[in-house]
Amino acid sequence: MADASSPAPVVLLSGANRGIGAAIVNELLPHGYRLSLGARDTASLAATFGPETQSTLHAHFDALEPESAKAWVAATVEKFGRIDVLINNAGSNEKVSLLEENEEALDRLWAINVKAPLRLTRLCVPYLERTGRGRIVNIASMSGKRVRNPFVGYNMTKFAVMGLTHTTRHVTWDMGIRATAICPSFVRTEMTRESTKIARDDMIAPQTLARIVRNTIELPNNAATAEVLVNCRLEDML
């Protein structure tokens, strides 16, 4: 829970309007966090969570539009005066197989899954440093730890997110910032709607993943977790 003796922490969350993002919103709000929510369509945020309040901001953020990231961070600081946590949740699972030549789709995957989180990290680090205990959570995937499908575009970008996370840890540790990659297997969202590899009831509930996110950002600086692997089926690595 946010410390009642200090200002309520401000969380900047991408992809907030559905799935894992929406579950994180519903997990954090009752625990005293202020939330800056980013989505391509701000109307979807209002439809899901109601109108903005003193504790929430609805912002346009499109991972394919670099200027939208700058405007979002600026609006967050203007309203709340600080940023304590960055959660890079927005992502794409557009399918690009190893032997398929689809440069446009591959470029989109890199832009959404890797370049956009890097951009937000660069923009937020100065504000996170000021808190003395800034947090960055990158929602990665088990596909960034091992490969069990032919979709090279998704797998490559999720491995890159792991590289981003560990580089961020290296660079920002002495700033008091702690970066963590959360790597779930199948999560019960629209993104996995067409998957037949595992029954939906056996997939990770987004609410469960949201609790893991909250636990991660609430850990003290001297108990940081670099990676959290979340399995819903037996994996070769734990």
Side-chain angles (χ1 to χ4, degrees):
M1 180 179 291
D3 185 352
S5 64
S6 60
V10 175
V11 178
L12 192 132
L13 168 65
S14 67
N17 57 319
R18 62 182 181 175
I20 295 171
I24 293 172
V25 173
N26 291 327
E27 175 68 25
L28 295 183
L29 268 180
H31 288 86
Y33 290 87
R34 294 178 288 175
L35 302 181
S36 179
L37 309 178
R40 283 179 295 177
D41 179 13
T42 55
S44 67
L45 293 170
T48 303
F49 305 113
E52 289 183 332
T53 69
Q54 290 185 338
S55 298
T56 59
L57 170 70
H58 298 171
H60 169 71
F61 170 67
D62 188 327
L64 297 174
E65 299 174 3
E67 291 303 316
S68 71
K70 296 178 182 178
W72 178 22
V73 171
T76 302
V77 175
E78 181 178 359
K79 177 166 182 170
F80 297 120
R82 60 190 292 148
I83 299 174
D84 299 78
V85 181
L86 165 63
I87 302 176
N88 284 307
N89 170 66
S92 169
N93 69 339
E94 190 170 359
K95 293 177 173 55
V96 178
S97 297
L98 180 67
L99 303 181
E100 174 188 1
E101 293 188 17
N102 190 339
E103 292 296 321
E104 291 184 359
L106 188 58
D107 287 345
R108 284 192 296 271
L109 281 166
W110 279 101
I112 295 170
N113 290 355
V114 184
K115 294 180 71 175
L118 171 58
R119 185 176 300 114
L120 284 171
T121 296
R122 287 171 170 163
L123 290 168
C124 289
V125 159
Y127 302 103
L128 298 172
E129 182 180 12
R130 292 175 192 173
T131 72
R133 62 174 322 276
R135 297 290 181 266
I136 298 173
V137 173
N138 294 324
I139 304 298
S141 170
M142 284 299 295
S143 290
K145 297 296 295 180
R146 51 55 174 161
V147 173
R148 297 183 71 168
N149 62 61
F151 302 122
V152 67
Y154 184 78
N155 296 335
M156 284 170 36
T157 57
K158 289 303 182 179
F159 268 82
V161 170
M162 302 307 292
L164 168 61
T165 305
H166 286 285
T167 304
T168 303
R169 292 182 71 246
H170 177 76
V171 172
T172 66
W173 184 273
D174 289 339
M175 302 177 188
I177 298 171
R178 300 294 180 260
T180 303
I182 296 184
C183 306
S185 184
F186 293 96
V187 182
R188 198 184 310 137
T189 65
E190 286 301 312
M191 189 175 283
T192 57
R193 176 64 64 181
E194 297 179 2
S195 177
T196 58
K197 291 186 177 181
I198 185 170
R200 289 193 67 76
D201 286 347
D202 293 330
M203 294 181 182
I204 302 161
Q207 295 82 2
T208 301
L209 206 65
R211 291 200 298 274
I212 293 172
V213 169
R214 182 167 68 84
N215 179 71
T216 299
I217 65 178
E218 291 181 353
L219 290 172
N221 280 9
N222 61 359
T225 53
E227 302 176 2
V228 180
L229 278 57
V230 188
N231 303 143
C232 60
R233 60 180 177 176
L234 182 63
E235 297 275 4
D236 292 335
M237 53 175 52
L238 301 178

